[in-house]
Amino acid sequence: MNFSSSRRRFAHAAVAGVALTGLLTACGGSDSGGGTQASGTVTLPYWGWANGQEAVVKAFNASHQNVKLKYTKVTDQLTMQKQLTNAVKAGNAPCLVQNTAEYVTSWVSQGALADISRYVGSKKAEFNPGSWAAAQVQGKVYGVPTSSAPNFTIYRADLFKKYGVETPRTWDDFIAAGKVLKKHGVKITNFAGEDPSTLEVLAMQAGAHWYAIDGDSWKVDFQDAGSLKAARVIQAIIDNGLNSTLSFADYAAVQRTYDEGHTATRQISTWQMAGMVQNFTKSFGQWALSPWPTYAGEAAKTPAGTNLTGSVTLVTQQCAHQQQAAEAALWMSTDPGAVQTLASPTTGNGVMPALADSGSYVGRTVSEKLLGKNYPAAKKVVTDSLGTITTDWTFGPDWTAMFTEMQAGWAKVVSREQTVRQLLAHMQAWTVKDLTSRGISVKG
């Protein structure tokens, strides 16, 4: 469903509170990040990669006399993790770091992040619950949410109408619609071989918990009921030949398959629509939005999906001015001008703010050019999805390594060399072994 690419993977999901004692190995950090100039002005190094951040930094510096941000643009999210690792080891980490929720637990386990609860905790009500949870571990706040990832289905309304296909309400409907479209040479979705986030988010939506805390240990379960429910849907799509298998390595080809009507739907968030607008030439005005399909008999629930700009601005332990850093992060996520800059697909990346009341930004993040007459109804779909985002998903301390391993197995699933269930069984054994090798107590 194309939540990520081989070049970048961006996740936005809530990190549930975990008891860290005995579970994560923490280390201390020196207070070397950030400096004070002779004039008394505090300068805070800030690393990020999202479009619009430089303009936000410029606005912050113009409106603050005693605190200034020094922005460094990093290539992408994966590069960020590598550079931050090196900086933490060298004792010169920046004060502020753009990041995504999947990495928060790992960075906390390394002692790299500062607990800024006392500086920003009183502002909890200003953010939506899912976004606020993304910046927490064990109820402690390590950053300020920057964006939300409302998830929905975007589909070719003209093709659905032409072939008499109803908008799918459930995943069973989705599979049935795919079978009808297949008869006309149209795939209902695309599974890129490098992108197992499809399995991740469908499992998340189904109530799976690949990582959880059980007493003083991590509990690993890739074969719970939710995971198997997701596996059934994905396997049915693959077995019936309802999906294309284009890799994001050929981004232009992926965009063409949608624009030319060869693939009819995507499960995406607002920021991904920008790429469609920038690359399409034929299908403007033919797209519409609908809620995520649900599992039969279940209420609407959307996974905490993927997000290009990152979900949080983190404050590092090595920052010598943690309060000022926390307050700067808060300003960037709440100042109306800053929020609008990042929300706009022109000046930013078309992301939804993390604010509790972000309805006024929906119109800016949803493309009227892409949706045409379906634009007014689409805004409600986006707004409604914000209220159904998963908030109880936990990222494990070896998430990056686990996901890399899963990528290799997912490629075999897409090429029909193994089943989704076989991949889940492998990931269960692999993850238990990996955590154990790291000296982390684990059950599974």
Side-chain angles (χ1 to χ4, degrees):
M1 301 190 184
N2 310 138
F3 295 97
S4 60
S5 75
S6 59
R7 295 172 295 168
R8 299 180 179 181
R9 181 177 181 279
F10 305 92
H12 172 84
V15 179
V18 296
L20 295 180
T21 304
L23 303 176
L24 303 174
T25 303
C27 59
S30 63
D31 292 338
S32 59
T36 304
Q37 299 174 357
S39 63
T41 301
V42 171
T43 300
L44 306 173
Y46 170 33
W47 291 2
W49 65 80
N51 293 335
Q53 286 179 334
E54 290 172 288
V56 169
V57 167
K58 184 177 180 180
F60 178 90
N61 289 341
S63 61
H64 292 75
Q65 292 185 348
N66 298 323
V67 180
K68 302 294 181 181
L69 296 175
K70 182 180 179 181
Y71 183 68
T72 298
K73 188 175 181 65
V74 177
T75 304
D76 54 35
Q77 187 213 35
L78 296 180
T79 302
M80 172 69 80
Q81 313 316 316
K82 296 175 183 177
Q83 293 186 359
L84 184 57
T85 295
N86 293 335
V88 169
K89 290 180 179 178
N92 58 1
C95 275
L96 293 163
V97 179
Q98 176 192 353
N99 227 302
T100 51
E102 62 186 316
Y103 294 106
V104 175
T105 303
S106 294
W107 285 120
V108 170
S109 74
Q110 298 174 55
L113 304 183
D115 176 5
I116 59 171
S117 303
R118 60 190 180 279
Y119 305 130
V120 302
S122 63
K123 304 298 182 180
K124 177 181 179 179
E126 295 187 22
F127 298 89
N128 68 60
S131 295
W132 187 256
Q136 294 185 81
V137 177
Q138 180 61 10
K140 295 179 179 179
V141 184
Y142 294 91
V144 177
T146 59
S147 58
S148 297
N151 280 275
F152 44 81
T153 300
I154 188 167
Y155 66 98
R156 284 288 296 266
D158 58 330
L159 295 181
F160 273 53
K161 181 178 180 179
K162 180 179 180 179
Y163 299 125
V165 179
E166 296 291 329
T167 305
R169 294 180 177 274
T170 68
W171 286 113
D172 289 338
D173 294 340
F174 189 84
I175 294 168
K179 292 178 179 179
V180 174
L181 292 171
K182 180 183 177 182
K183 296 176 182 178
H184 303 281
V186 178
K187 303 293 187 180
I188 196 166
T189 192
N190 182 66
F191 289 164
E194 73 274 11
D195 186 9
S197 60
T198 297
L199 175 56
E200 174 195 341
V201 293
L202 261 70
M204 189 187 299
Q205 183 194 23
H209 294 282
W210 291 350
Y211 293 89
I213 299 302
D214 185 357
D216 292 331
S217 300
W218 282 94
K219 180 180 179 182
V220 175
D221 194 350
F222 283 77
Q223 298 171 292
D224 59 8
S227 298
L228 297 180
K229 191 183 297 185
R232 181 190 68 80
V233 170
I234 294 170
Q235 199 65 58
I237 292 171
I238 292 174
D239 288 348
N240 285 282
L242 309 182
N243 63 292
S244 54
T245 58
L246 294 173
S247 168
F248 269 107
D250 191 348
Y251 185 72
V254 173
Q255 295 295 352
R256 280 197 303 272
T257 192
Y258 299 118
D259 192 28
E260 296 176 356
H262 302 308
T263 305
T265 79
R266 297 181 69 185
Q267 274 70 42
I268 61 172
S269 190
T270 54
W271 63 267
Q272 290 151 310
M273 296 173 70
M276 300 172 78
V277 173
Q278 293 164 8
N279 289 276
F280 286 3
T281 60
K282 300 178 179 180
S283 60
F284 290 120
Q286 302 298 336
W287 295 85
L289 303 188
S290 65
W292 260 64
T294 64
Y295 290 96
E298 296 185 7
K301 184 179 181 182
T302 55
T306 56
N307 196 311
L308 179 62
T309 63
S311 59
V312 289
T313 302
L314 301 171
V315 178
T316 67
Q317 180 64 33
Q318 292 178 4
C319 180
H321 305 284
Q322 294 174 6
Q323 179 174 353
Q324 290 93 330
E327 292 170 352
L330 189 64
W331 185 92
M332 290 190 286
S333 290
T334 58
D335 176 79
V339 173
Q340 184 170 331
T341 294
L342 295 175
S344 169
T346 301
T347 59
N349 283 306
V351 299
M352 281 295 296
L355 300 173
D357 182 13
S358 56
S360 63
Y361 296 94
V362 171
R364 295 183 177 92
T365 61
V366 178
S367 171
E368 186 170 4
K369 181 178 182 180
L370 189 64
L371 298 166
K373 65 182 180 180
N374 301 311
Y375 174 74
K379 291 191 288 185
K380 185 177 187 304
V381 172
V382 174
T383 301
D384 289 348
S385 73
L386 285 167
T388 61
I389 295 177
T390 305
T391 60
D392 62 348
W393 180 260
T394 301
F395 290 110
D398 65 340
W399 183 269
T400 303
M402 182 282 295
F403 194 85
T404 300
E405 179 69 17
M406 182 175 282
Q407 283 182 299
W410 175 255
K412 294 180 180 179
V413 169
V414 172
S415 62
R416 302 190 185 191
E417 297 176 54
Q418 69 174 352
T419 66
V420 183
R421 279 178 171 255
Q422 287 172 330
L423 171 59
L424 290 170
H426 170 74
M427 293 312 304
Q428 175 68 29
W430 186 93
T431 305
V432 170
K433 182 178 180 180
D434 182 63
L435 290 176
T436 301
S437 71
R438 296 169 186 260
I440 297 174
S441 178
V442 59
K443 297 178 181 178

